Amino acid sequence: MATSKASLIDLAKELSLSVSTISRALSNHSSISDATKKKVWKLAKQMNYQPNQLAAALRKGRSNIIGVMVPTINRNFFASVVRGIETVTNKEGFNIIICQSNDDEASEIKNVEALVNAQVEGVIVSIARSTLDFSHFERVLQRGIPLVLFDRMIQGLDISAVVIDDYQGAFQAVKHLIDQGCRRIAHFAGQDNLTIYRDRLKGYRDALEAHQLPFDEQLVYQCKLTLEAGRAGAEHLLQLPSLPDAIFSASDHAALGAMQVLKTHQIRIPDDIALAGFSNEPITSLTEPMLTTVDQHSEVMGQTAAKLFLEMLQNKSTPFSPRKIVLQAELIIRESSLRKRE
Amino acid sequence: MATSKASLIDLAKELSLSVSTISRALSNHSSISDATKKKVWKLAKQMNYQPNQLAAALRKGRSNIIGVMVPTINRNFFASVVRGIETVTNKEGFNIIICQSNDDEASEIKNVEALVNAQVEGVIVSIARSTLDFSHFERVLQRGIPLVLFDRMIQGLDISAVVIDDYQGAFQAVKHLIDQGCRRIAHFAGQDNLTIYRDRLKGYRDALEAHQLPFDEQLVYQCKLTLEAGRAGAEHLLQLPSLPDAIFSASDHAALGAMQVLKTHQIRIPDDIALAGFSNEPITSLTEPMLTTVDQHSEVMGQTAAKLFLEMLQNKSTPFSPRKIVLQAELIIRESSLRKRE
DNA sequence: TACGTTTAGGCAATCGTTTGCGTAAACGTG
DNA sequence: CACGTTTACGCAAACGATTGCCTAAACGTA
């Protein structure tokens, strides 16, 4: 009733027992008689007793909270990863605290510190784009707090991470286009300071090479991979002396931009130009034609990162060598690349 | 260095001062000399002292954590709201704990309890679709914890909430369709235990009435408003003796489902049937035709909910009568409803 | 010199749980 | 009956920070 919260002390007074007995009864400790336990349970329910996790955490040194930081929660990929993390850790009794770095190093540092102060038992992060110095993460490790990175990770630093195989994903996509009969395949590439885009480009090149197709510099359009960039890229390609017969874009959004332009030019997809993107954004299954793309298993990525964290937590005492887990990327074949065979 | 975390005690020993002096020095208390403060600050930095928020929270009775529960984080609308909440509360030194109810009443109850036990200072929630009993929320209030609902709320319950004007949004959308010359407007409606869907339905009806158009029960298709439901809804409408000339869907996804079906039936949008959705999902600006929809100002909604919470927290001692804040919905007119006038 | 005031800091209780250790009472056994 | 063993519980010290109250020393002033 009322605004009051019942504590162990209140229960103890009420039953004329010691606080420790109440505590043990509630946690079903063996040294408390069944009769007493039942009395305690009954009263606890009656007084709506809720344990103060803060106090328990302080005493036990376990907060049951894990910190998650993403550039922004407001993007499908990150939200899905977070969802994956949450569902897995929730089952183990953890709550997650969310922070957003907004791709800014300064607030990343501030947030990491806040998480550590909140006594999180672990930190799961996708690094901000602008981050160049990683000492704030090293400090986390020094404190013995398990740290797991996902998607974006640091080269050189020996930290556990979960990523997808961008290279294989790209390779498969391009191989598929070739299998469909495409021979002049263009590529929308991202900024090459990010490994994910470098790997996709490499997958593209190697797939061409593996099928004895020439690599043509002209067919690679490097850009920010936004919708607008995709439009510009398509316009660019259309002005080439000879058209490509496929485009593999390192992002779905750029692929969609291209799709818009190609359609206005009455170019048939996939018959004249086949199209494949990357990320499997929800929209790609709603376009017309539906877009072939590469799925990143974002929710699975979150689950995997969470499991890796749990594993690290268990082996916390023993020296645990950081692990990298590479998830398979999955090619999703849809209309935009599927040429009918008659 | 090392794995060790420095505590006030460690600093105190090092400087041969008492713990309380250290604590006061760090919080810049007036009764500590500048000389001592400087010594303490220097050592604190040197030993990389980080205060244990758990302990401070326990002692001060303020956790600086607020709980947020959404049906799923994995949807643009909710992620945006969360982003809004996070940015506002972060500035005030709060961290947010995220839970997902998965639209399931049981896990909603479990999560609310977990949040309360984590000693959150407030709870911000969008209610699960299946929730019919609200005693778990009443228990939160009884404990004196500020509670703010957003988007989905309950009629009858006197709880602070931030919603958009679903009624006006729907009214405007339907009015717009009528202005475009539509006379037989169908509606995809949601489950009517949620006020948002009831309000949209009412906005639809009233807009018809305001323009002397008859309300036809047959044209209202109640469903779960998913993509599939939208498809089914369109198929349903296509079998009516006389076709509608517009569909106003209470959700974007259902509108998109309908769009797919209409296209396969060679029905021109908007000329044969105009289409309008609700929510302004990112996808809607990428479809073909681009979908007319109603924007919910999701990030602003989150910010507003956060501010309302902060306000309630400040006036916690004084009896605070719950407030409802209604944000304006904004009609976004796009191709799917814009009939060319020649 | 004597006494009030300020300065600078210490003592110890407190937040609510958990847990190692101690111990009465009840019980079992020869 | 005597003595070891359970059984069932209490005591008190943690966890780390905060804070009301107290007190030496230094200072000021008449």
Side-chain angles (χ1 to χ4, degrees):
Chain A
M1 219 101 318
T3 299
S4 63
K5 331 169 188 187
S7 74
L8 285 188
I9 302 183
D10 302 322
L11 299 203
K13 275 189 195 144
E14 188 74 18
L15 292 177
S16 303
L17 286 170
S18 76
V19 175
S20 42
T21 300
I22 307 291
S23 174
R24 290 190 172 104
L26 288 173
S27 58
N28 206 6
H29 192 284
S30 64
S31 77
I32 305 295
S33 72
D34 287 351
T36 305
K37 280 182 190 169
K38 274 183 190 146
K39 270 197 305 187
V40 172
W41 292 342
K42 188 178 164 198
L43 183 68
K45 186 163 291 181
Q46 188 183 314
M47 295 181 66
N48 187 28
Y49 167 77
Q50 301 287 112
N52 183 329
Q53 301 289 12
L54 249 48
L58 177 60
R59 170 63 227 232
K60 294 202 283 195
R62 291 204 42 194
S63 65
N64 282 315
I65 295 180
I66 91 178
V68 175
M69 183 154 42
V70 292
T72 171
I73 186 69
N74 191 18
R75 255 187 51 199
N76 183 268
F77 173 72
F78 292 117
S80 293
V81 173
V82 168
R83 183 176 171 77
I85 295 174
E86 215 258 4
T87 38
V88 167
T89 54
N90 222 23
K91 275 190 196 127
E92 305 292 322
F94 286 93
N95 282 111
I96 66 174
I97 286 189
I98 298 243
C99 298
Q100 303 178 79
S101 68
N102 291 308
D103 265 325
D104 171 58
E105 180 166 13
S107 55
E108 185 174 88
I109 294 174
K110 202 177 119 274
N111 282 328
V112 163
E113 213 139 87
L115 289 176
V116 168
N117 294 0
Q119 308 298 115
V120 296
E121 293 193 51
V123 179
I124 302 181
V125 179
S126 186
I127 295 184
R129 201 163 270 178
S130 71
T131 301
L132 296 172
D133 174 69
F134 304 110
S135 51
H136 48 298
F137 291 121
E138 282 169 344
R139 253 176 278 141
V140 170
L141 290 174
Q142 278 172 8
R143 287 197 149 223
I145 301 175
L147 173 64
V148 177
L149 304 180
F150 69 87
D151 191 44
R152 311 210 195 137
M153 55 169 229
I154 319 164
Q155 265 176 336
L157 268 193
D158 208 20
I159 299 182
S160 288
V162 181
V163 296
I164 67 150
D165 193 337
D166 288 282
Y167 173 83
Q168 270 302 328
F171 190 99
Q172 282 177 51
V174 175
K175 178 180 185 317
H176 159 70
L177 291 172
I178 296 171
D179 288 347
Q180 292 292 313
C182 303
R183 290 294 172 267
R184 248 177 91 68
I185 302 174
H187 177 49
F188 291 170
Q191 297 141 290
D192 64 359
N193 60 327
L194 286 181
T195 53
I196 53 175
Y197 296 130
R198 265 214 303 272
D199 290 348
R200 290 175 199 176
L201 174 59
K202 189 156 194 319
Y204 161 74
R205 291 188 69 148
D206 286 6
L208 292 183
E209 190 176 340
H211 293 81
Q212 286 89 40
L213 291 177
F215 171 74
D216 183 350
E217 192 87 45
Q218 277 198 322
L219 293 180
V220 174
Y221 182 77
Q222 185 167 342
C223 59
K224 296 219 160 198
L225 294 177
T226 59
L227 189 83
E228 290 69 30
R231 286 205 197 105
E235 298 285 5
H236 165 76
L237 292 176
L238 290 178
Q239 304 198 334
L240 292 181
S242 80
L243 285 186
D245 56 7
I247 303 174
F248 165 57
S249 166
S251 103
D252 281 337
H253 285 288
L256 294 181
M259 185 184 286
Q260 292 179 341
V261 168
L262 296 183
K263 279 163 137 186
T264 63
H265 283 263
Q266 317 288 0
I267 294 173
R268 290 170 306 164
I269 307 170
D271 303 287
D272 298 332
I273 297 186
L275 214 50
F278 207 108
S279 284
N280 196 17
E281 295 280 338
I283 186 179
T284 55
S285 63
L286 295 174
T287 54
E288 207 165 325
M290 294 189 286
L291 185 68
T292 290
T293 185
V294 179
D295 189 79
Q296 298 180 277
H297 298 305
S298 42
E299 198 160 339
V300 173
M301 185 178 285
Q303 292 168 358
T304 309
K307 284 177 193 157
L308 184 51
F309 155 73
L310 291 171
E311 196 182 327
M312 291 171 73
L313 193 65
Q314 289 198 327
N315 302 36
K316 205 173 166 183
S317 45
T318 74
F320 189 82
S321 60
R323 269 177 48 203
K324 282 203 201 327
I325 297 180
V326 179
L327 301 178
Q328 281 310 97
E330 184 187 352
L331 179 64
I332 311 279
I333 298 173
R334 299 211 185 91
E335 299 161 351
S336 72
S337 68
L338 209 52
R339 297 187 172 175
K340 285 88 188 163
R341 323 264 183 131
E342 48 260 68
Chain B
M1 216 96 323
T3 299
S4 63
K5 329 170 192 187
S7 73
L8 285 187
I9 302 182
D10 302 322
L11 299 203
K13 274 189 196 145
E14 189 74 17
L15 292 177
S16 303
L17 286 171
S18 76
V19 175
S20 41
T21 299
I22 306 292
S23 173
R24 290 191 172 105
L26 288 173
S27 57
N28 206 7
H29 192 282
S30 65
S31 77
I32 305 294
S33 71
D34 287 351
T36 306
K37 280 181 189 170
K38 277 185 187 143
K39 272 198 303 189
V40 173
W41 292 342
K42 188 177 165 197
L43 183 69
K45 187 163 291 181
Q46 188 183 315
M47 295 181 67
N48 187 26
Y49 167 76
Q50 301 287 110
N52 183 327
Q53 300 289 13
L54 249 48
L58 176 59
R59 170 64 227 235
K60 295 202 282 195
R62 291 205 42 193
S63 65
N64 282 315
I65 295 180
I66 91 178
V68 175
M69 181 154 44
V70 293
T72 172
I73 187 65
N74 191 19
R75 252 187 54 198
N76 183 267
F77 172 72
F78 292 117
S80 293
V81 174
V82 168
R83 182 176 171 77
I85 295 174
E86 215 257 358
T87 39
V88 168
T89 54
N90 223 23
K91 277 190 197 128
E92 306 292 321
F94 286 93
N95 282 111
I96 64 174
I97 286 189
I98 298 243
C99 298
Q100 304 178 78
S101 67
N102 290 309
D103 265 325
D104 172 56
E105 180 165 11
S107 53
E108 185 174 88
I109 294 173
K110 203 175 119 275
N111 282 329
V112 163
E113 214 139 88
L115 289 176
V116 169
N117 294 359
Q119 307 298 116
V120 295
E121 293 192 51
V123 179
I124 301 181
V125 180
S126 186
I127 295 183
R129 199 163 273 177
S130 71
T131 301
L132 296 172
D133 174 69
F134 306 108
S135 50
H136 47 299
F137 292 121
E138 282 167 345
R139 253 176 279 142
V140 170
L141 289 175
Q142 278 171 8
R143 287 196 149 225
I145 301 174
L147 173 63
V148 177
L149 304 180
F150 69 87
D151 190 45
R152 308 209 194 141
M153 55 166 234
I154 326 153
Q155 260 180 336
L157 268 193
D158 207 21
I159 300 182
S160 287
V162 180
V163 296
I164 64 151
D165 194 336
D166 288 282
Y167 173 83
Q168 270 303 327
F171 191 99
Q172 282 176 50
V174 174
K175 176 179 186 320
H176 160 70
L177 291 172
I178 296 171
D179 288 346
Q180 292 294 311
C182 303
R183 290 293 173 268
R184 246 176 92 69
I185 302 173
H187 177 49
F188 291 170
Q191 295 142 291
D192 63 0
N193 63 323
L194 287 180
T195 51
I196 53 173
Y197 297 129
R198 264 215 303 271
D199 290 348
R200 292 176 198 175
L201 174 58
K202 187 153 195 319
Y204 160 75
R205 291 189 68 151
D206 286 5
L208 293 183
E209 191 176 340
H211 293 81
Q212 287 87 40
L213 291 177
F215 171 75
D216 183 350
E217 190 89 44
Q218 276 197 322
L219 293 180
V220 174
Y221 183 76
Q222 185 168 346
C223 60
K224 296 219 161 199
L225 295 178
T226 59
L227 189 84
E228 290 69 31
R231 287 206 196 102
E235 298 284 7
H236 165 77
L237 292 176
L238 290 178
Q239 303 196 336
L240 292 180
S242 81
L243 286 185
D245 56 7
I247 303 175
F248 165 57
S249 166
S251 103
D252 281 336
H253 286 287
L256 294 179
M259 187 185 286
Q260 292 179 337
V261 167
L262 296 184
K263 278 163 138 186
T264 63
H265 283 264
Q266 318 287 3
I267 293 173
R268 291 170 307 165
I269 306 171
D271 304 286
D272 297 332
I273 296 186
L275 215 50
F278 208 110
S279 284
N280 195 19
E281 294 279 339
I283 302 185
T284 54
S285 63
L286 296 173
T287 53
E288 209 165 323
M290 295 190 287
L291 185 67
T292 290
T293 185
V294 178
D295 189 78
Q296 298 179 278
H297 299 304
S298 40
E299 197 160 339
V300 172
M301 184 180 287
Q303 293 167 358
T304 309
K307 285 177 195 161
L308 184 51
F309 154 73
L310 291 172
E311 196 181 328
M312 291 171 72
L313 194 64
Q314 290 200 326
N315 303 36
K316 205 173 168 183
S317 45
T318 73
F320 189 83
S321 60
R323 270 180 45 205
K324 283 202 202 329
I325 297 179
V326 179
L327 302 178
Q328 279 310 97
E330 183 184 355
L331 178 64
I332 311 277
I333 298 173
R334 300 208 187 92
E335 299 162 353
S336 73
S337 68
L338 210 51
R339 296 189 173 174
K340 284 89 188 164
R341 322 262 181 132
E342 48 258 70

